Amino acid sequence: MPPATSQQPIEISIVIPVYNEVDNLESLQAEIDASLVAFAGRYEIVYVNDGSSDGSSDKLAEICSAHPEAVSIDLRRNFGQTAAIAAGLDHSRGDIVVTLDADLQNPPSDIGLLIDKLHEGYDVVSGWRRERKDTFLTRRVPSAVANGLISVVCGVHLHDYGCTLKAYRREVIDEIKLYGEMHRFIPVFAAAAGARIAEVVVSHRPRIHGKAKYGLMRTFKVILDLVTVKFLLSYRTTPMYLFGGVGFSLIALGFLALLLALVRKIFYGVSLILTPLPLLSAILFALGMQSVLLGLTTELLVRTYYEAQDKPIYVVRQIHKERKHK
Ligand code: UDP
Ligand code: MG
């Protein structure tokens, strides 16, 4: 492979978030170089040191000075894996971007599988750790539940959202903004923008050096994120359909409760003070109106969001005949 100093454009960027992985970095660099040696194009490795305190920063500086294809970015503090990946994406230049963990659990030799699949005509290729080497109860079971939920709720069926080893086409990844801990949802956002998604089985190894940074708590965060993602997917441009829908349903229930109270009063002589129905009806009306008003407010917010950044509500794949003038 030609070194990164040549003038050829960069074909592949490998983006790696690093948080206290000092003992993995040298082998990682060596394994990546060994697995990309057969590629004809140019590649770069973008390490993002996410506020490590174990000497990863110095180790990365050492690696970068010995390997022209490697660059490393030090974040000022620990911002989290998603932010580290976002920083890597922003600072990478390749037409294809591959994200990879620094812990050596995903062998870099699988990168080629993802890239071959991408060349079959996909925009995103996701790794699937079918034989995952992590603890059963605290990692594999919650992850299976989360993957099932995300697939059903978002309608994009992947077995392993949590696998960082994924490959993306630049034009697809550039359109996606990452917040919180949402890097695992990139395929969902990409699919919503019309990207073609595929999955390939990748190998997985146990962690030898360093510690896993996550535990069971992450599953709860993933489920909360899923609510946000579902909202963004289905109601991003039409929040009134959600809030207005809920609001009108509540108001309808309020009417029913009032009607029932009146029927009981007129036909059975039950006094309105002896039943909670009028109070229930008032509460339902008030909540319903609140929800409709919230819908109107969010409609205004959505317009500000799109118009402030001149963001279209559609995504163009390509234009067949470029016109010179509007
Ligand atoms: N990581 C990071 N910032 C963090 C936590 C993790 O950059 O705050 C990196 C970490 O160094 C590793 C990757 O994200 O390269 C995944 O972390 P880990 O292996 O602990 O997660 P797991 O594989 O157990 O889900
Ligand atoms: Mg790991």
Side-chain angles (χ1 to χ4, degrees):
M1 159 127 359
T5 43
S6 80
Q7 288 310 302
Q8 243 184 307
I10 294 176
E11 209 170 292
I12 301 167
S13 295
I14 298 165
V15 167
I16 307 180
V18 177
Y19 181 48
N20 294 342
E21 305 280 4
V22 69
D23 294 325
N24 289 317
L25 297 172
E26 252 166 36
S27 323
L28 180 65
Q29 174 71 37
E31 282 199 38
I32 295 174
D33 279 338
S35 38
L36 289 183
V37 82
F39 276 106
R42 213 179 130 204
Y43 68 94
E44 64 174 1
I45 305 172
V46 181
Y47 293 101
V48 181
N49 168 32
D50 185 20
S52 301
S53 51
D54 67 344
S56 290
S57 171
D58 292 343
K59 178 58 87 187
L60 285 174
E62 212 177 278
I63 289 175
C64 292
S65 58
H67 297 266
E69 74 284 12
V71 291
S72 136
I73 299 155
D74 274 334
L75 301 187
R76 278 199 189 269
R77 63 167 172 83
N78 177 242
F79 284 89
Q81 190 183 356
T82 298
I85 289 176
L89 296 175
D90 288 345
H91 288 84
S92 67
R93 295 166 296 167
D95 295 334
I96 291 173
V97 184
V98 176
T99 50
L100 174 71
D101 279 346
D103 56 8
L104 282 172
Q105 288 196 259
N106 274 118
S109 51
D110 284 340
I111 292 172
L113 292 179
L114 274 77
I115 291 176
D116 289 347
K117 194 77 188 170
L118 211 62
H119 285 317
E120 283 177 24
Y122 293 98
D123 301 304
V124 175
V125 177
S126 180
W128 169 16
R129 301 163 290 180
R130 194 157 56 185
E131 317 231 326
R132 192 169 162 183
K133 302 289 187 297
D134 278 321
T135 52
F136 184 73
L137 263 189
T138 56
R139 301 302 302 272
R140 278 160 50 202
V141 170
S143 152
V145 172
N147 285 314
L149 266 178
I150 301 175
S151 296
V152 169
V153 173
C154 302
V156 180
H157 294 270
L158 289 183
H159 290 92
D160 196 0
Y161 275 94
C163 180
T164 307
L165 180 54
K166 291 187 166 71
Y168 310 93
R169 285 194 187 283
R170 164 70 57 194
E171 58 273 24
V172 168
I173 198 79
D174 275 354
E175 288 296 317
I176 296 170
K177 283 259 169 286
L178 294 178
Y179 294 93
E181 300 198 5
M182 293 213 184
H183 64 272
R184 74 191 54 248
F185 290 101
I186 298 176
V188 171
F189 291 121
R196 290 159 290 211
I197 319 278
E199 190 170 51
V200 290
V201 173
V202 295
S203 349
H204 199 237
R205 312 183 281 208
R207 208 187 227 283
I208 312 270
H209 300 291
K211 285 198 203 80
K213 277 88 196 169
Y214 304 103
L216 200 53
M217 267 312 285
R218 185 165 59 180
T219 315
F220 297 109
K221 289 189 182 170
V222 169
I223 289 167
L224 291 176
D225 282 344
L226 184 57
V227 177
T228 314
V229 171
K230 178 66 188 168
F231 173 75
L232 288 177
L233 283 187
S234 303
Y235 303 104
R236 180 158 41 186
T237 54
T238 53
M240 188 56 171
Y241 290 174
L242 176 67
F243 294 110
V246 170
F248 280 141
S249 312
L250 291 174
I251 291 171
L253 283 176
F255 262 118
L256 266 183
L258 189 62
L259 200 66
L260 195 61
L262 289 177
V263 166
R264 281 160 53 100
K265 161 90 182 150
I266 293 165
F267 294 104
Y268 303 99
V270 183
S271 162
L272 287 181
I273 354 175
L274 287 179
T275 145
L277 285 172
L279 183 64
L280 182 68
S281 163
I283 294 174
L284 288 170
F285 272 124
L287 284 178
M289 282 311 290
Q290 284 285 333
S291 189
V292 172
L293 291 178
L294 192 62
L296 288 175
T297 321
T298 39
E299 284 281 337
L300 287 182
L301 282 177
V302 164
R303 278 157 181 66
T304 319
Y305 171 78
Y306 280 95
E307 286 165 30
Q309 9 174 10
D310 251 340
K311 207 174 160 65
I313 55 167
Y314 54 84
V315 189
V316 173
R317 191 188 302 279
Q318 57 178 321
I319 297 176
H320 291 290
K321 189 171 183 188
E322 198 73 67
R323 283 171 301 171
K324 290 216 166 56
H325 305 290
K326 271 202 164 176

